[in-house]
Amino acid sequence: MTASVDAPTPAAVHTPHLTTGTRVATTFAVLVAQVGLAIPAVLNGLFQQDLHTTSSQLTWISDAFLVPVTLLELTFGVLGDLFGRKRLLIGGSVLLALGEFLSVLTPAGGTAAIATLWTGQALAGIGAAVLFPTTLAMVAAGTHDVRSRAKGIAIWAAGLSSGGFVSPLLGGLVTRLPWGASPEASWRWAFVAVGILAVASALIGTAAQNSSSPEGRSLDWGGQATIAIALFALLFAVIQGSTTGFSDPTIIGGFVVAAVFLVLFVLAERRSPAPLLRLDLFSTRAFSVNSVVTVLGMFAFLGTAYATSIRLSAVQDLSPLQTAVAFVLLQGFALVLMPLTARMIDRFDPRLALGGGFALIGVGDVWMSLLPVSDLSLLPVVAPLALCGIGFAFALSGVTAVAVNTVPGHLAGMASGTTSQLRDFGFTLGPAIIGAIALSRAASVIAAGRQADPSLEAQVEQYVAHAPRAVAGAIESGPLGQVSVPGPLHSLAFDALGDAYAVGYVVCGIAALVAAVLAVVALGGTSQRPNITDEGVPPAGEQKVGL
């Protein structure tokens, strides 16, 4: 990507250059936030063994963190613009630490255990919702030409992806230590480690330089309320639909509520004097296409990560350390390839990073779908997951750079908040949709198998009648529970889940390939200039930000 800034924006004139303290604090903070986001994926198998979760409960452990991130990022982007981003960086780190430490206090079992774990992860997610847009806005505010911004964004993106690299290693190693000998002990210590990292982030944040952009910004309560209700209703319907069925009136009602409040959000933003999201951001073709590509591509990537987590840990019963190897492949390349991604988004057409990156993810997903679940070796998954990881390294830097560089500088905070929300909305949809598709398919296959074999059904009924309550509950909880205990259903559930998550990989692959095509065909290589004007801000003809 090549770009030029012919006239400085007001933000560029008044904001100092990015200091070393700010660079370190923002990179470490986004790394910790991503560790918190990614750590449950490594622990899914342990949650299943210890808490005997249902399929939807297991999905909600990850999405309890992701949902507040998705709902609140735009609001925290505004708060940072108004009141200063340094205090938000420190406060977000503290909230993240409190949420992780609350998760450690999860009781031994029962409904209270699930509720406590959800609450802790939701609180940690609120902290991450502060950190994701705040750190990116601080980078954007301290970089005033395309070259320095490309470098800053590449470092920020490497911190983000390095969090996904650190989290599986952290989870895998902690569960191998002496105190991690049992499932209930090991996953709690993983949350202790994340909490300690979050405390360190708060301390490092004191060295950051403050920045803000209060001009024309104020809290938009109508916009925040309507978008929060719309997104929560949509995510609730998608996640719960896999358990209750998508024809259930509650699920249909959730989709209706989501549609109605999305319309109300658009109306509220059109009338608000200081909107949470300026809809004219989307009048720039690059920003609009990039937004669609971001949602599709990030859905594909985290859907891949979620499917891999369930396949390796809950279905194939591999250890957290073995599962960690897969996540190192998925996330580690962003750090290794950081110099190359920075150079690429600075010098070349963004289609090379976006289209090529998502194409690699798509190919890797299709490859994963062809691997038999009966092969318990890690070797077959190395190459396809490496393709996905390399693709993600290029795509993540590309979508972020395009979004921030196609709006006026004083709107960098809003653009970064919007991009973060779209990215994490795609992330949130990944586990929700792939979990819903795979578990619904597996449940149907298992039900058909039991109906077709009366002797198998009789064996299951006898087994449930004489098994311990926890084991019987696991069998009744759904496909993931049925594959986790010995008995007549194990082989049927194992094959059904292997087939179901293969379908999940195909869905992710299609989404990634569609994102790649959109990046190449619709984004194009032509110069894109923001046509968003405000009092005191040079119009598009005077302030050019080209791609």
Side-chain angles (χ1 to χ4, degrees), residues 35-316:
V35 169
L37 184 152
I39 199 75
V42 185
L43 307 174
N44 275 326
L46 298 178
F47 294 144
Q48 180 69 37
Q49 293 175 40
D50 181 30
L51 303 177
H52 304 292
T53 57
T54 65
S55 301
S56 64
Q57 286 174 338
L58 191 62
T59 302
W60 272 113
I61 293 173
S62 293
D63 276 343
F65 189 105
L66 283 164
V67 166
V69 170
T70 304
L71 299 186
L72 299 174
E73 278 186 307
L74 283 177
T75 293
F76 285 120
V78 176
L79 290 173
D81 289 345
L82 287 173
F83 303 115
R85 296 168 184 134
K86 178 177 178 178
R87 66 182 66 182
L88 261 69
L89 187 151
I90 296 171
S93 298
V94 171
L95 283 175
L96 179 56
L98 291 175
E100 299 297 343
F101 290 139
L102 178 59
S103 299
V104 175
L105 302 177
T106 300
T111 304
I114 298 297
T116 303
L117 186 53
W118 285 348
T119 303
Q121 288 302 286
L123 181 59
I126 294 173
V130 179
L131 295 177
F132 284 128
T134 298
T135 52
L136 182 55
M138 292 175 81
V139 171
T143 52
H144 311 308
D145 61 79
V146 174
R147 184 176 298 274
S148 64
R149 182 167 292 178
K151 180 180 178 182
I153 289 173
I155 294 173
W156 178 90
L160 180 74
S161 291
S162 295
F165 171 81
V166 169
S167 60
L169 292 177
L170 184 67
L173 291 174
V174 166
T175 58
R176 298 279 291 184
L177 294 173
W179 58 63
S182 60
E184 63 273 12
S186 56
W187 64 260
R188 286 173 173 80
W189 279 106
F191 287 135
V192 170
V194 179
I196 292 172
L197 289 175
V199 171
S201 175
L203 295 175
I204 295 172
T206 60
Q209 188 172 47
N210 193 30
S211 65
S212 63
S213 302
E215 298 84 4
R217 302 288 268 151
S218 64
L219 289 175
D220 175 18
W221 295 110
Q224 177 59 76
T226 51
I227 193 61
I229 293 172
L231 292 180
F232 182 80
L234 175 62
L235 294 170
F236 173 84
V238 171
I239 295 172
Q240 291 301 118
S242 64
T243 300
T244 61
F246 290 97
S247 61
D248 184 277
T250 303
I251 304 305
I252 295 174
F255 285 119
V256 171
V257 169
V260 169
F261 275 87
L262 184 59
V263 172
L264 292 177
F265 170 72
V266 172
L267 295 176
E269 298 308 274
R270 288 185 177 277
R271 297 178 181 180
S272 174
L276 184 69
L277 172 62
R278 283 187 49 163
L279 299 178
D280 52 352
L281 284 173
F282 295 94
S283 64
T284 303
R285 188 185 71 178
F287 189 88
S288 298
V289 174
N290 189 69
S291 298
V292 176
V293 168
T294 297
V295 173
L296 282 175
M298 297 305 120
F299 155 76
F301 179 76
L302 208 69
T304 301
Y306 182 75
T308 301
S309 168
I310 298 298
R311 173 186 166 119
L312 298 183
S313 62
V315 179
Q316 295 183 317

